[in-house]
Amino acid sequence: MTSTERYLARGPRVGIRPFTAADRQEFTTFARQSVDLHRPWLFPPDTDDTFDGYLARLQEPLREGYLICELDSGRIAGYLTINNIVHGGFQSGAIGYGVFAHAAGCGLMSEGLRLVLRHAFGPLGLHRLEANIQPANKHSISLVERAGFRLEGFSPDFLFVDGAWRDHERWALTSEMLQEDAEDQVG
């Protein structure tokens, strides 16, 4: 990414870029404004300290983090992380994501997810991405279905979320399954 191009990839309405410390105030403000949308599924950082800890974890070698930003304003619409990246014969990672309330229902997350998928299966060299979603989180399931993920299974008591072990559906996508969209540009 050159200094003149802030995005790793661009679509018609959004671009993806790495998190930076300069994003702290905007991100945490939008996280606080989106609590009603996110709960009980998601708890993004909403204070300076939690954001700084989150940003530090995203610097670890087996994680990648992307902000999904509106091209016309530069405003953060949502975010997506790839965690537990395994290289070698596996070439896989697990995604987590969230949209902020002001951008919910506008299709910006779908566009941003497609960009991250192309980046993950292209420059990052991954072959498979998984999304683990609580069965009642219909909006999140719809997002991955639109992107072409397939349901692969059900895991009882899979992740500790909001004070309890929660069941999750396991959704996955491989590079061969990726749906092409000529409007999106990587690079």
Side-chain angles (χ1 to χ4, degrees), residues 158-185:
F158 186 67
L159 287 174
F160 195 77
V161 179
D162 196 24
W165 289 99
R166 308 289 178 182
D167 299 343
H168 281 69
E169 293 179 356
R170 293 185 327 275
W171 292 80
L173 182 77
T174 62
S175 58
E176 296 85 4
M177 297 166 57
L178 185 62
Q179 300 168 356
E180 291 300 319
D181 187 338
E183 294 180 331
D184 299 336
Q185 306 162 7

Side-chain angles (χ1 to χ4, degrees), residues 81-107:
T81 59
I82 305 174
N83 302 293
N84 306 320
I85 296 171
V86 178
H87 295 287
F90 200 38
Q91 299 294 341
S92 181
I95 63 171
Y97 47 84
V99 66
F100 292 122
H102 69 273
C106 300

Side-chain angles (χ1 to χ4, degrees), residues 5 11 17 19 34 46 48 50 56 74 77 81 84 89 92 96 111 132-133 154 163-164 166 177-178:
E5 176 58 58
R17 65 176 178 81
F19 281 71
S34 302
D46 60 2
D48 288 353
T50 57
T81 59
N84 306 320
S92 181
E111 187 177 321
N132 297 293
I133 305 168
F154 178 81
R166 308 289 178 182
M177 297 166 57
L178 185 62

